[in-house]
Amino acid sequence: MDNLPPSLLTSLQYVGLATLTWLTVTTASGIYDQILRPSTLSRYHHHHHPDQQPPWALVTGATGGIGFGFAQELCHRGFHLVLHGRNRAKLLQRQAELRVDFPHVQTRILVYDATDLASDIDALATELQDLHLTVLINNLGGDEDLDFPRTEENTFIRTQRVITRNALFTTHLTRILLSQLKRNAPALILNISSIAAYGFPYLTMYSASKGLINSFTASVSAELALDKTGVKMLGLIVGNVSSQGNQSPVSLFTPSSRQLARSALGKTGCAGPMVWAYWPHSLQGLIFWVLPRWMIVRISAAEMGKLKEMAHSKAKVN
Ligand SMILES: NC(=O)c1ccc[n+]([C@@H]2O[C@H](COP(=O)([O-])OP(=O)(O)OC[C@H]3O[C@@H](n4cnc5c(N)ncnc54)[C@H](OP(=O)(O)O)[C@@H]3O)[C@@H](O)[C@H]2O)c1
């Protein structure tokens, strides 16, 4: 060190100081966003004058998992609720459960199977027209089979189903409901994404769909802010969650669906466009910063191999 020219030493000190400042600011704002920042959800709980229509929220894929968790949490916070799903009997069952737990909340069901998406989806906007809708939770998603195919092993049908369920349904529903949400502003749209948007091997269609959700969220939220619409869109990055489709046991890093929803609703004050929905997942997310991509790809491929084997042995037993 003693042999270094003083000008180089001073420059290195400045670089060190700048790095330390950047790290401190990034860590502090991360901690503030993840733990301390208050939720702004109450902004969207307003009545429509002069007829005093109460605020409604719509949750897609609400018959199970994280979607039902959002439904419970929104009812708990006094929102009236539209539950979307594909199975009428299951929707009625969930509606009955919410009526028992939240007797003061009104509910409605919206039946639409997102598998075979067609232009008839535009008619859904008419079905909801009479409601003072202020919150839309684009939750529907997931992968039906844990078979982790290579890209070329995906059939036409599988490709269509995964991309439609995880990306296209959200895209179209937002497109058709945005005018109504703008009229009802302040309004909020939450889009559920996944760490899979990072681009994992053997999960091509799911990962790519969530990548679309991330870019869609960034574009739409920028447009909404520039136009000063009063509608906020936020994307939520989600790690492993115990749900209807994911039977992992609950632990610190695998919250229950309701825990995840509660935590996600606490993030509405964040700037976005993307934010971690649950703070322990954001800690796991540090790995994406620290480790090189090739290592993450190897680790994730090994994990998927294990899940595939487990799914195969389970299928054999059944
Ligand atoms: N769980 C996780 O570990 C995890 C991790 C990262 C991201 N996420 C994301 O979180 C969101 C919710 O995941 P989840 O694990 O809670 O899912 P889930 O437990 O599998 O529940 C999916 C919900 O969507 C409904 N649904 C499925 N296909 C449908 C279709 N074609 N039309 C209409 N409704 C349909 C299901 O209805 P039925 O009851 O009729 O099946 C159910 O209500 C997804 O966007 C997922 O990608 C989850």
Side-chain angles (χ1 to χ4, degrees), residues 2-41:
D2 290 348
N3 299 334
L4 288 177
S7 60
L8 181 59
L9 211 54
T10 313
S11 306
L12 284 175
Q13 278 168 343
Y14 278 128
V15 170
L17 193 66
T19 311
L20 197 66
T21 309
W22 176 77
L23 269 176
T24 310
V25 171
T26 310
T27 310
S29 72
I31 291 172
Y32 182 65
D33 268 357
Q34 283 304 318
I35 296 167
L36 301 170
R37 193 187 274 280
S39 171
T40 55
L41 190 67

Side-chain angles (χ1 to χ4, degrees), residues 61-67 84-87 90 112-115 139-142 165-166 192-195 206 210 238-246 257:
T63 49
I66 299 171
H84 158 262
R86 57 183 161 182
N87 181 330
K90 209 166 168 183
Y112 189 90
D113 190 333
T115 312
N139 162 75
L140 174 63
R165 189 176 355 172
N166 286 285
I192 312 305
S193 187
S194 163
I195 47 166
Y206 180 66
K210 292 303 188 187
V238 175
N240 203 43
V241 179
S242 181
S243 68
Q244 178 180 283
N246 178 350
S257 289

Side-chain angles (χ1 to χ4, degrees), residues 34-248:
Q34 283 304 318
I35 296 167
L36 301 170
R37 193 187 274 280
S39 171
T40 55
L41 190 67
S42 56
R43 276 197 76 206
Y44 310 103
H45 192 278
H46 54 85
H47 289 68
H48 185 259
H49 301 287
D51 50 358
Q52 290 293 309
Q53 263 218 68
W56 282 74
L58 163 62
V59 180
T60 67
T63 49
I66 299 171
F68 190 61
F70 271 113
Q72 291 170 304
E73 284 299 316
L74 286 161
C75 287
H76 179 65
R77 288 162 165 81
F79 283 89
H80 297 312
L81 203 94
V82 184
L83 295 139
H84 158 262
R86 57 183 161 182
N87 181 330
R88 182 178 292 275
K90 209 166 168 183
L91 279 164
L92 290 172
Q93 160 82 34
R94 290 307 202 186
Q95 190 180 29
E97 285 170 39
L98 290 178
R99 280 186 182 149
V100 171
D101 290 345
F102 309 98
H104 302 299
V105 164
Q106 294 174 45
T107 52
R108 196 187 266 196
I109 61 165
L110 185 68
V111 189
Y112 189 90
D113 190 333
T115 312
D116 299 312
L117 196 64
S119 58
D120 68 352
I121 191 172
D122 285 29
L124 290 187
T126 325
E127 258 189 74
L128 301 170
Q129 205 79 55
D130 61 313
L131 300 180
H132 178 50
L133 189 72
T134 61
V135 173
L136 166 62
I137 313 278
N138 284 316
N139 162 75
L140 174 63
D143 207 343
E144 271 170 319
D145 328 293
L146 279 178
D147 48 356
F148 303 102
R150 288 189 165 71
T151 305
E152 71 279 14
E153 289 165 355
N154 283 280
T155 59
F156 174 80
I157 300 269
R158 191 183 194 286
T159 305
Q160 291 288 112
R161 285 174 76 102
V162 177
I163 297 180
T164 302
R165 189 176 355 172
N166 286 285
L168 289 183
F169 184 73
T170 290
T171 311
H172 284 294
L173 195 68
T174 305
R175 172 181 65 75
I176 62 173
L177 292 180
L178 210 42
S179 306
Q180 186 178 356
L181 289 164
K182 282 183 183 177
R183 281 197 302 276
N184 296 343
L188 172 74
I189 306 172
L190 296 183
N191 296 334
I192 312 305
S193 187
S194 163
I195 47 166
Y198 179 76
F200 289 135
Y202 317 123
L203 264 186
T204 311
M205 303 309 165
Y206 180 66
S207 287
S209 306
K210 292 303 188 187
L212 185 145
I213 293 296
N214 292 7
S215 303
F216 180 70
T217 305
S219 295
V220 180
S221 60
E223 190 180 293
L224 291 170
L226 282 173
D227 293 348
K228 298 191 171 51
T229 58
V231 181
K232 176 166 183 169
M233 179 182 269
L234 194 64
L236 295 161
I237 314 166
V238 175
N240 203 43
V241 179
S242 181
S243 68
Q244 178 180 283
N246 178 350
Q247 301 287 316
S248 306

